[in-house]
Amino acid sequence: MEEIIRTEYSELMQKSYIDYAMSVIIARALPDVRDGLKPVQRRTLYDMQELGIFYDRPYRKCARIVGDTMGKYHPHGDSSIYEALVVMAQEFKKGQPLVDGHGNFGSIEGDGAAAMRYTEARLQKITQEVYLKDLDKNVVNFVPNFDETEKEPEVLPVRIPNLLVNGADGIAVGMATSIPPHNLGEVAEGVIAYMKNPDITTEELMRYIQGPDFPTGGIVVNKDELPAIYESGSGKIRIRGKVEVEKGKGGRQYLVITEIPYTMIGANIGKFLNDVAELVESKKAPDIVDISNQSSKEGIRIVLELKKGADPEQLTNLLYKKTRLEDTFGVNMLAVANGRPETLGLKKIIESHVDFQFDLNTRKYQSLLAKEMEKKEIQEGLIRACGCIDLIIEILRGSRSQKQVKDCLTMGITEGIRFKTKASERSAKKLCFTQRQAAAILEMRLYRLIGLEIQALEQEYQDTLKKIERYEELLNHYDSMARVIMEDLAKIREEYGRERRTSIENAEEIVLEEAKVPEIEVVFLMDRFGYARTVDVSVYERNQEAADSENKYVFRCMNTDRICVFTDTGKMHSLKVQDVPYGKFRDKGTPVDNLCNYSSGEEQILYVDAMANLKNRKLVFVSRRAMVKLVEGSEFQVSKRTIAATKLSDEEDRLVLAGPADPYEYLVLQSREGYFLRFLLEEVPEKKKAALGVRGMKLAGTDGLEAAYLLANRMEFSISYKEKELILNKIKLGKRDGKGIKVRR
């Protein structure tokens, strides 16, 4: 029988989205604070362990690893598994690579890895010894896989703080993590220092863990800000590339970039080269003659050849300021702790790691103790059996079944067993071996009765007693367990530690003194299609007639000035004259919308002039709603790239006229319904640029202004209206805010 369940759609969507978000956060995007791995990384490494792809065995095809992982543990597509596998093998991304890749696994310059059918991989030695060891000792919980046909570890028994050593990055739903990699040796020392003094502060921890250690090297330049970042778990780390000056033949100098910021790996190296080329083309770095990328498997080497007499320090500062050679790494140490996402500081991560290590080692030694106790029981039984071996042989020969023997050995039951003497039977009734001991006695081989073998058995028993004593000591005393964990960390640091690659220092903010541009007068030219350029005054004077006829806006200005572009949306966009291409008269120029924030698809240019020219002028503004006003030109002397030049009535309102009031005397307004009004410009009041203005013409109903014209005295001005010429100067002079005259022809 079907049952229809009615539910609120919004509640269902909310619940479904929350479930989805938590699934992405916990089971996909964020690492676990205990092993520092995301689920896809954990499952891939565990699968490689299960497949036996160890560091001392041959490589196996990545396609095999990916397929097996996807089929058993991670049913989210092969691409995510292969990408995780590739990243774990890339030395330039991980502080401690976990996979040994064979084949094309991509490059630091952003080249992708080859297809999984071509590449091969196996575990690194550190992964096998430090990340996957002791899985057989019941140190972590195993949970069912997605279809409950396999078991997978809930977390790997990692013996170092991998979250710090390898860092992490991931984007979940509504949150993201970004943790930089650190030096393994320093992190190990920091953990040991915390275990010796749990009250240690973050600042004291940073005596051991100086800061991030990126595989690409570089220089962290905000050392004093690091304690606050590591205390809160979030902040910004500033990194610079390392630049060296080399001398060549003929007195030439070269700037050689040998280390880059971690954020530059991938496509950003190509972008950096393009940025340097743009600096050269725009004359901001004219002393750079040539750029060459000589990077190889040995490392980064980007060479910039300089002109003779160039200042390397000034150019280095320019690169730091204008390119990604100095960049910021956003830190957000977000990880899954106790089943929920949490932003963790440095001390909290180490504290979580130490708690995890105590849990791992407790379970490990409990498992080992149980095995040794079992071994002790068997060894005690065998030693006792050797002392009465003749009686046991007599029991074996007199019994008709294995059950009779076991019952006699464990409970002293002698019924049905033939003994040679009553004394033997009385002795047999006193036997009380355990079930496990009885089984071991029945399986014991005769050679164990040799005198030396009996001595060896007794020696093994003594060794077992010592191990039991050792394990009980560890399990019952915190200090003993802590000593073992610290010794283990020290061995890992000794075997796998390496020198720091990233320098940590305090550096002053780059102050770039831009060279002063010689101030010269130029002529700005812009055609009716919006293409702008500047030319020398002498070039303009030789081609004045052609320049005036071919261009809509022509005016003189200084090359240090700014150009103001007024549009029908009531905005003023400004750009530096230096940004406008300077060259030959017949050059096409560059669209003005490429030089400033002006959008040619949404705005229409009404007026263009140099900012200096506006200083002693008044500008007149007329809107579609017939609002008019004059504004002092000095109000537009601003440094912002875009400002509101005037206020409009509403979102639908637009300017129909913006321009200089001088040398004009009259203003003519034309409505869509054919009304014309001519009045003196002196009737228009002067307002601030943020004001709306006053009404220039009374409009009926839905009528609006179609155009506005400025007329000079004694100068005839005509327009084409309804396919006939209309002389605006002959329109009857009226007053502002009048209805105007209807022109019917």
Tab-separated table of all heavy atoms in Angstrom, residues 450-499:
chain	number	residue	atom	x	y	z
A	450	ILE	N	64.806	-31.871	22.397
A	450	ILE	CA	66.268	-31.819	22.488
A	450	ILE	C	66.639	-30.836	23.591
A	450	ILE	O	66.000	-29.797	23.771
A	450	ILE	CB	66.872	-31.386	21.132
A	450	ILE	CG1	66.473	-32.398	20.039
A	450	ILE	CG2	68.387	-31.248	21.215
A	450	ILE	CD1	66.829	-31.940	18.644
A	451	GLY	N	67.690	-31.124	24.294
A	451	GLY	CA	68.082	-30.291	25.434
A	451	GLY	C	68.255	-28.825	25.078
A	451	GLY	O	67.781	-27.932	25.787
A	452	LEU	N	68.946	-28.533	23.964
A	452	LEU	CA	69.179	-27.140	23.566
A	452	LEU	C	67.878	-26.437	23.218
A	452	LEU	O	67.718	-25.246	23.459
A	452	LEU	CB	70.149	-27.086	22.374
A	452	LEU	CG	71.611	-27.455	22.692
A	452	LEU	CD1	72.438	-27.470	21.412
A	452	LEU	CD2	72.216	-26.466	23.686
A	453	GLU	N	66.946	-27.185	22.614
A	453	GLU	CA	65.657	-26.593	22.247
A	453	GLU	C	64.863	-26.217	23.495
A	453	GLU	O	64.166	-25.204	23.525
A	453	GLU	CB	64.857	-27.574	21.389
A	453	GLU	CG	65.364	-27.715	19.969
A	453	GLU	CD	65.243	-26.434	19.170
A	453	GLU	OE1	64.250	-25.689	19.375
A	453	GLU	OE2	66.127	-26.133	18.378
A	454	ILE	N	65.004	-27.056	24.545
A	454	ILE	CA	64.310	-26.746	25.796
A	454	ILE	C	64.896	-25.486	26.419
A	454	ILE	O	64.170	-24.622	26.925
A	454	ILE	CB	64.407	-27.946	26.770
A	454	ILE	CG1	63.625	-29.145	26.200
A	454	ILE	CG2	63.874	-27.573	28.153
A	454	ILE	CD1	63.813	-30.424	26.981
A	455	GLN	N	66.230	-25.350	26.334
A	455	GLN	CA	66.872	-24.136	26.836
A	455	GLN	C	66.411	-22.902	26.051
A	455	GLN	O	66.165	-21.840	26.622
A	455	GLN	CB	68.399	-24.273	26.741
A	455	GLN	CG	68.988	-25.240	27.756
A	455	GLN	CD	70.503	-25.328	27.628
A	455	GLN	OE1	71.131	-24.512	26.960
A	455	GLN	NE2	71.089	-26.323	28.271
A	456	ALA	N	66.320	-23.059	24.720
A	456	ALA	CA	65.869	-21.946	23.865
A	456	ALA	C	64.433	-21.547	24.215
A	456	ALA	O	64.089	-20.358	24.228
A	456	ALA	CB	65.967	-22.344	22.391
A	457	LEU	N	63.597	-22.572	24.506
A	457	LEU	CA	62.207	-22.301	24.880
A	457	LEU	C	62.154	-21.504	26.179
A	457	LEU	O	61.376	-20.548	26.306
A	457	LEU	CB	61.457	-23.626	25.037
A	457	LEU	CG	59.982	-23.530	25.441
A	457	LEU	CD1	59.176	-22.761	24.404
A	457	LEU	CD2	59.408	-24.941	25.641
A	458	GLU	N	63.009	-21.881	27.146
A	458	GLU	CA	63.036	-21.150	28.410
A	458	GLU	C	63.536	-19.722	28.211
A	458	GLU	O	63.058	-18.788	28.863
A	458	GLU	CB	63.912	-21.902	29.418
A	458	GLU	CG	63.271	-23.206	29.901
A	458	GLU	CD	64.183	-24.015	30.810
A	458	GLU	OE1	65.399	-23.679	30.843
A	458	GLU	OE2	63.692	-24.963	31.444
A	459	GLN	N	64.517	-19.556	27.275
A	459	GLN	CA	65.024	-18.208	26.986
A	459	GLN	C	63.936	-17.339	26.330
A	459	GLN	O	63.779	-16.166	26.656
A	459	GLN	CB	66.251	-18.309	26.065
A	459	GLN	CG	66.915	-16.966	25.769
A	459	GLN	CD	67.401	-16.262	27.021
A	459	GLN	OE1	68.061	-16.859	27.869
A	459	GLN	NE2	67.058	-14.979	27.156
A	460	GLU	N	63.185	-17.953	25.397
A	460	GLU	CA	62.068	-17.238	24.760
A	460	GLU	C	61.047	-16.808	25.804
A	460	GLU	O	60.478	-15.703	25.724
A	460	GLU	CB	61.388	-18.142	23.718
A	460	GLU	CG	62.184	-18.320	22.445
A	460	GLU	CD	61.504	-19.291	21.484
A	460	GLU	OE1	60.304	-19.604	21.710
A	460	GLU	OE2	62.154	-19.743	20.541
A	461	TYR	N	60.823	-17.674	26.778
A	461	TYR	CA	59.861	-17.362	27.836
A	461	TYR	C	60.321	-16.155	28.650
A	461	TYR	O	59.533	-15.262	28.965
A	461	TYR	CB	59.671	-18.593	28.740
A	461	TYR	CG	58.747	-18.359	29.905
A	461	TYR	CD1	57.404	-18.041	29.708
A	461	TYR	CD2	59.215	-18.449	31.223
A	461	TYR	CE1	56.553	-17.819	30.783
A	461	TYR	CE2	58.375	-18.232	32.307
A	461	TYR	CZ	57.042	-17.913	32.071
A	461	TYR	OH	56.198	-17.692	33.134
A	462	GLN	N	61.626	-16.102	28.953
A	462	GLN	CA	62.171	-14.960	29.693
A	462	GLN	C	62.054	-13.668	28.873
A	462	GLN	O	61.717	-12.607	29.408
A	462	GLN	CB	63.644	-15.224	30.061
A	462	GLN	CG	63.849	-16.353	31.062
A	462	GLN	CD	63.122	-16.105	32.374
A	462	GLN	OE1	63.110	-14.975	32.887
A	462	GLN	NE2	62.489	-17.149	32.916
A	463	ASP	N	62.316	-13.782	27.543
A	463	ASP	CA	62.175	-12.604	26.659
A	463	ASP	C	60.728	-12.125	26.624
A	463	ASP	O	60.460	-10.920	26.627
A	463	ASP	CB	62.636	-12.953	25.238
A	463	ASP	CG	64.131	-13.210	25.168
A	463	ASP	OD1	64.850	-12.788	26.099
A	463	ASP	OD2	64.583	-13.831	24.177
A	464	THR	N	59.811	-13.078	26.609
A	464	THR	CA	58.389	-12.717	26.591
A	464	THR	C	57.996	-11.999	27.869
A	464	THR	O	57.260	-11.003	27.839
A	464	THR	CB	57.527	-13.981	26.405
A	464	THR	OG1	57.877	-14.612	25.175
A	464	THR	CG2	56.043	-13.635	26.390
A	465	LEU	N	58.520	-12.458	29.007
A	465	LEU	CA	58.225	-11.804	30.286
A	465	LEU	C	58.739	-10.370	30.301
A	465	LEU	O	58.084	-9.460	30.826
A	465	LEU	CB	58.845	-12.601	31.443
A	465	LEU	CG	58.220	-13.971	31.742
A	465	LEU	CD1	58.983	-14.659	32.879
A	465	LEU	CD2	56.746	-13.819	32.121
A	466	LYS	N	59.929	-10.167	29.703
A	466	LYS	CA	60.491	-8.812	29.650
A	466	LYS	C	59.627	-7.893	28.779
A	466	LYS	O	59.396	-6.731	29.116
A	466	LYS	CB	61.913	-8.865	29.096
A	466	LYS	CG	62.921	-9.447	30.069
A	466	LYS	CD	64.313	-9.509	29.451
A	466	LYS	CE	65.311	-10.146	30.413
A	466	LYS	NZ	66.658	-10.262	29.795
A	467	LYS	N	59.159	-8.442	27.652
A	467	LYS	CA	58.303	-7.643	26.767
A	467	LYS	C	56.996	-7.272	27.468
A	467	LYS	O	56.525	-6.140	27.362
A	467	LYS	CB	58.005	-8.424	25.482
A	467	LYS	CG	59.183	-8.492	24.522
A	467	LYS	CD	58.798	-9.253	23.261
A	467	LYS	CE	59.978	-9.345	22.301
A	467	LYS	NZ	59.624	-10.102	21.072
A	468	ILE	N	56.421	-8.238	28.165
A	468	ILE	CA	55.168	-7.962	28.886
A	468	ILE	C	55.382	-6.862	29.919
A	468	ILE	O	54.573	-5.931	30.050
A	468	ILE	CB	54.640	-9.251	29.546
A	468	ILE	CG1	54.151	-10.220	28.465
A	468	ILE	CG2	53.528	-8.941	30.546
A	468	ILE	CD1	53.823	-11.607	28.989
A	469	GLU	N	56.505	-6.967	30.628
A	469	GLU	CA	56.825	-5.949	31.628
A	469	GLU	C	56.985	-4.578	30.956
A	469	GLU	O	56.505	-3.566	31.472
A	469	GLU	CB	58.116	-6.343	32.360
A	469	GLU	CG	58.469	-5.399	33.484
A	469	GLU	CD	59.787	-5.791	34.160
A	469	GLU	OE1	60.398	-6.809	33.757
A	469	GLU	OE2	60.207	-5.053	35.082
A	470	ARG	N	57.655	-4.561	29.790
A	470	ARG	CA	57.879	-3.315	29.058
A	470	ARG	C	56.555	-2.703	28.594
A	470	ARG	O	56.311	-1.506	28.761
A	470	ARG	CB	58.774	-3.610	27.855
A	470	ARG	CG	58.906	-2.498	26.833
A	470	ARG	CD	59.655	-1.322	27.369
A	470	ARG	NE	59.931	-0.344	26.342
A	470	ARG	CZ	60.165	0.935	26.577
A	470	ARG	NH1	60.162	1.385	27.827
A	470	ARG	NH2	60.408	1.773	25.600
A	471	TYR	N	55.699	-3.536	28.028
A	471	TYR	CA	54.422	-3.027	27.513
A	471	TYR	C	53.513	-2.523	28.640
A	471	TYR	O	52.841	-1.505	28.492
A	471	TYR	CB	53.698	-4.121	26.708
A	471	TYR	CG	54.452	-4.550	25.453
A	471	TYR	CD1	54.252	-5.823	24.899
A	471	TYR	CD2	55.367	-3.714	24.829
A	471	TYR	CE1	54.932	-6.231	23.763
A	471	TYR	CE2	56.053	-4.119	23.693
A	471	TYR	CZ	55.836	-5.378	23.173
A	471	TYR	OH	56.514	-5.778	22.047
A	472	GLU	N	53.509	-3.237	29.744
A	472	GLU	CA	52.698	-2.801	30.881
A	472	GLU	C	53.219	-1.481	31.443
A	472	GLU	O	52.448	-0.616	31.862
A	472	GLU	CB	52.673	-3.880	31.963
A	472	GLU	CG	51.812	-5.080	31.573
A	472	GLU	CD	51.829	-6.176	32.619
A	472	GLU	OE1	52.777	-6.176	33.444
A	472	GLU	OE2	50.926	-7.037	32.607
A	473	GLU	N	54.550	-1.339	31.425
A	473	GLU	CA	55.164	-0.085	31.876
A	473	GLU	C	54.707	1.084	30.996
A	473	GLU	O	54.348	2.155	31.488
A	473	GLU	CB	56.693	-0.232	31.821
A	473	GLU	CG	57.472	1.061	31.923
A	473	GLU	CD	57.496	1.642	33.322
A	473	GLU	OE1	57.156	0.924	34.282
A	473	GLU	OE2	57.833	2.835	33.444
A	474	LEU	N	54.691	0.861	29.684
A	474	LEU	CA	54.279	1.911	28.741
A	474	LEU	C	52.802	2.256	28.907
A	474	LEU	O	52.423	3.426	28.865
A	474	LEU	CB	54.546	1.462	27.300
A	474	LEU	CG	56.022	1.324	26.886
A	474	LEU	CD1	56.122	0.732	25.487
A	474	LEU	CD2	56.723	2.677	26.931
A	475	LEU	N	51.979	1.222	29.076
A	475	LEU	CA	50.537	1.451	29.151
A	475	LEU	C	50.109	2.069	30.477
A	475	LEU	O	49.083	2.746	30.542
A	475	LEU	CB	49.788	0.125	28.930
A	475	LEU	CG	49.865	-0.430	27.501
A	475	LEU	CD1	49.343	-1.858	27.453
A	475	LEU	CD2	49.068	0.450	26.542
A	476	ASN	N	50.909	1.868	31.499
A	476	ASN	CA	50.513	2.353	32.823
A	476	ASN	C	51.182	3.662	33.221
A	476	ASN	O	50.818	4.245	34.245
A	476	ASN	CB	50.816	1.289	33.887
A	476	ASN	CG	49.972	0.039	33.686
A	476	ASN	OD1	48.836	0.126	33.209
A	476	ASN	ND2	50.521	-1.115	34.027
A	477	HIS	N	52.154	4.126	32.438
A	477	HIS	CA	52.877	5.337	32.805
A	477	HIS	C	52.944	6.287	31.615
A	477	HIS	O	53.503	5.953	30.569
A	477	HIS	CB	54.295	5.001	33.296
A	477	HIS	CG	54.315	4.190	34.549
A	477	HIS	ND1	54.241	2.811	34.530
A	477	HIS	CD2	54.368	4.556	35.872
A	477	HIS	CE1	54.266	2.356	35.772
A	477	HIS	NE2	54.337	3.402	36.602
A	478	TYR	N	52.380	7.480	31.793
A	478	TYR	CA	52.317	8.498	30.730
A	478	TYR	C	53.709	8.882	30.250
A	478	TYR	O	53.967	8.974	29.049
A	478	TYR	CB	51.581	9.731	31.258
A	478	TYR	CG	51.527	10.887	30.284
A	478	TYR	CD1	50.475	11.031	29.392
A	478	TYR	CD2	52.539	11.853	30.267
A	478	TYR	CE1	50.425	12.092	28.503
A	478	TYR	CE2	52.501	12.918	29.382
A	478	TYR	CZ	51.447	13.030	28.506
A	478	TYR	OH	51.401	14.068	27.618
A	479	ASP	N	54.632	9.103	31.199
A	479	ASP	CA	55.972	9.565	30.834
A	479	ASP	C	56.697	8.545	29.963
A	479	ASP	O	57.432	8.910	29.038
A	479	ASP	CB	56.795	9.848	32.096
A	479	ASP	CG	56.275	11.069	32.848
A	479	ASP	OD1	55.537	11.864	32.215
A	479	ASP	OD2	56.596	11.222	34.039
A	480	SER	N	56.509	7.271	30.263
A	480	SER	CA	57.164	6.227	29.476
A	480	SER	C	56.644	6.217	28.044
A	480	SER	O	57.419	6.113	27.085
A	480	SER	CB	56.929	4.857	30.120
A	480	SER	OG	57.453	4.824	31.415
A	481	MET	N	55.324	6.341	27.894
A	481	MET	CA	54.736	6.383	26.556
A	481	MET	C	55.200	7.637	25.807
A	481	MET	O	55.528	7.578	24.616
A	481	MET	CB	53.215	6.373	26.653
A	481	MET	CG	52.508	6.309	25.311
A	481	MET	SD	52.622	4.694	24.539
A	481	MET	CE	51.293	3.832	25.388
A	482	ALA	N	55.245	8.767	26.508
A	482	ALA	CA	55.688	10.019	25.875
A	482	ALA	C	57.127	9.888	25.394
A	482	ALA	O	57.474	10.383	24.307
A	482	ALA	CB	55.556	11.172	26.860
A	483	ARG	N	57.968	9.218	26.174
A	483	ARG	CA	59.367	9.042	25.790
A	483	ARG	C	59.479	8.230	24.503
A	483	ARG	O	60.267	8.551	23.613
A	483	ARG	CB	60.122	8.358	26.931
A	483	ARG	CG	61.635	8.558	26.888
A	483	ARG	CD	62.325	7.955	28.099
A	483	ARG	NE	61.814	8.509	29.345
A	483	ARG	CZ	61.139	7.816	30.256
A	483	ARG	NH1	60.885	6.541	30.067
A	483	ARG	NH2	60.701	8.389	31.351
A	484	VAL	N	58.659	7.194	24.381
A	484	VAL	CA	58.675	6.369	23.165
A	484	VAL	C	58.253	7.193	21.950
A	484	VAL	O	58.868	7.110	20.883
A	484	VAL	CB	57.731	5.155	23.334
A	484	VAL	CG1	57.492	4.466	22.004
A	484	VAL	CG2	58.328	4.169	24.321
A	485	ILE	N	57.189	8.007	22.104
A	485	ILE	CA	56.701	8.826	20.994
A	485	ILE	C	57.771	9.832	20.569
A	485	ILE	O	58.016	10.047	19.377
A	485	ILE	CB	55.397	9.555	21.388
A	485	ILE	CG1	54.277	8.525	21.612
A	485	ILE	CG2	54.984	10.553	20.316
A	485	ILE	CD1	53.014	9.108	22.211
A	486	MET	N	58.443	10.451	21.556
A	486	MET	CA	59.481	11.436	21.244
A	486	MET	C	60.686	10.782	20.570
A	486	MET	O	61.266	11.339	19.636
A	486	MET	CB	59.898	12.175	22.524
A	486	MET	CG	58.841	13.148	23.031
A	486	MET	SD	59.420	14.234	24.358
A	486	MET	CE	59.408	13.114	25.742
A	487	GLU	N	61.062	9.603	21.037
A	487	GLU	CA	62.180	8.882	20.408
A	487	GLU	C	61.841	8.513	18.968
A	487	GLU	O	62.688	8.607	18.076
A	487	GLU	CB	62.508	7.620	21.214
A	487	GLU	CG	63.194	7.896	22.543
A	487	GLU	CD	63.321	6.646	23.400
A	487	GLU	OE1	62.872	5.562	22.933
A	487	GLU	OE2	63.864	6.737	24.524
A	488	ASP	N	60.597	8.111	18.753
A	488	ASP	CA	60.146	7.761	17.401
A	488	ASP	C	60.210	8.986	16.479
A	488	ASP	O	60.686	8.908	15.346
A	488	ASP	CB	58.717	7.217	17.475
A	488	ASP	CG	58.255	6.626	16.151
A	488	ASP	OD1	59.069	5.952	15.498
A	488	ASP	OD2	57.097	6.860	15.772
A	489	LEU	N	59.747	10.130	16.980
A	489	LEU	CA	59.794	11.371	16.192
A	489	LEU	C	61.227	11.761	15.877
A	489	LEU	O	61.531	12.225	14.768
A	489	LEU	CB	59.112	12.496	16.966
A	489	LEU	CG	57.642	12.779	16.641
A	489	LEU	CD1	57.117	13.865	17.564
A	489	LEU	CD2	57.457	13.206	15.200
A	490	ALA	N	62.121	11.603	16.852
A	490	ALA	CA	63.524	11.963	16.644
A	490	ALA	C	64.150	11.093	15.538
A	490	ALA	O	64.920	11.585	14.713
A	490	ALA	CB	64.300	11.815	17.947
A	491	LYS	N	63.791	9.799	15.514
A	491	LYS	CA	64.310	8.908	14.460
A	491	LYS	C	63.791	9.311	13.090
A	491	LYS	O	64.526	9.312	12.103
A	491	LYS	CB	63.905	7.460	14.770
A	491	LYS	CG	64.646	6.840	15.934
A	491	LYS	CD	64.141	5.425	16.220
A	491	LYS	CE	64.805	4.841	17.453
A	491	LYS	NZ	64.247	3.505	17.806
A	492	ILE	N	62.483	9.662	13.035
A	492	ILE	CA	61.898	10.091	11.749
A	492	ILE	C	62.570	11.375	11.272
A	492	ILE	O	62.907	11.525	10.089
A	492	ILE	CB	60.377	10.306	11.905
A	492	ILE	CG1	59.680	8.968	12.174
A	492	ILE	CG2	59.789	10.959	10.657
A	492	ILE	CD1	58.216	9.094	12.577
A	493	ARG	N	62.792	12.317	12.196
A	493	ARG	CA	63.465	13.574	11.839
A	493	ARG	C	64.873	13.302	11.331
A	493	ARG	O	65.312	13.901	10.345
A	493	ARG	CB	63.517	14.477	13.076
A	493	ARG	CG	64.215	15.814	12.850
A	493	ARG	CD	64.459	16.512	14.164
A	493	ARG	NE	65.325	15.707	15.019
A	493	ARG	CZ	65.490	15.896	16.323
A	493	ARG	NH1	64.813	16.842	16.938
A	493	ARG	NH2	66.294	15.120	17.023
A	494	GLU	N	65.560	12.374	11.975
A	494	GLU	CA	66.939	12.053	11.590
A	494	GLU	C	66.988	11.434	10.194
A	494	GLU	O	67.871	11.746	9.391
A	494	GLU	CB	67.533	11.080	12.623
A	494	GLU	CG	69.029	10.902	12.518
A	494	GLU	CD	69.816	12.150	12.893
A	494	GLU	OE1	69.339	12.931	13.748
A	494	GLU	OE2	70.889	12.345	12.318
A	495	GLU	N	66.018	10.571	9.890
A	495	GLU	CA	66.059	9.857	8.611
A	495	GLU	C	65.477	10.658	7.460
A	495	GLU	O	66.005	10.622	6.341
A	495	GLU	CB	65.302	8.533	8.738
A	495	GLU	CG	65.382	7.684	7.472
A	495	GLU	CD	64.829	6.289	7.656
A	495	GLU	OE1	64.410	5.946	8.791
A	495	GLU	OE2	64.809	5.525	6.663
A	496	TYR	N	64.406	11.403	7.712
A	496	TYR	CA	63.697	12.050	6.599
A	496	TYR	C	63.769	13.583	6.608
A	496	TYR	O	63.273	14.220	5.678
A	496	TYR	CB	62.219	11.630	6.612
A	496	TYR	CG	62.018	10.145	6.470
A	496	TYR	CD1	61.623	9.370	7.569
A	496	TYR	CD2	62.243	9.503	5.254
A	496	TYR	CE1	61.434	8.003	7.453
A	496	TYR	CE2	62.057	8.130	5.134
A	496	TYR	CZ	61.656	7.388	6.239
A	496	TYR	OH	61.479	6.030	6.111
A	497	GLY	N	64.363	14.157	7.651
A	497	GLY	CA	64.451	15.617	7.704
A	497	GLY	C	65.377	16.174	6.631
A	497	GLY	O	66.259	15.483	6.114
A	498	ARG	N	65.176	17.432	6.280
A	498	ARG	CA	66.025	18.101	5.279
A	498	ARG	C	66.186	19.560	5.669
A	498	ARG	O	65.515	20.069	6.562
A	498	ARG	CB	65.416	17.994	3.879
A	498	ARG	CG	63.999	18.512	3.806
A	498	ARG	CD	63.546	18.742	2.386
A	498	ARG	NE	62.156	19.155	2.335
A	498	ARG	CZ	61.716	20.360	2.660
A	498	ARG	NH1	62.559	21.288	3.084
A	498	ARG	NH2	60.431	20.665	2.574
A	499	GLU	N	67.089	20.226	4.979
A	499	GLU	CA	67.345	21.635	5.262
A	499	GLU	C	66.140	22.491	4.862
A	499	GLU	O	65.426	22.169	3.915
A	499	GLU	CB	68.582	22.116	4.486
A	499	GLU	CG	69.897	21.505	4.947
A	499	GLU	CD	70.259	21.922	6.358
A	499	GLU	OE1	70.064	23.106	6.692
A	499	GLU	OE2	70.714	21.053	7.123
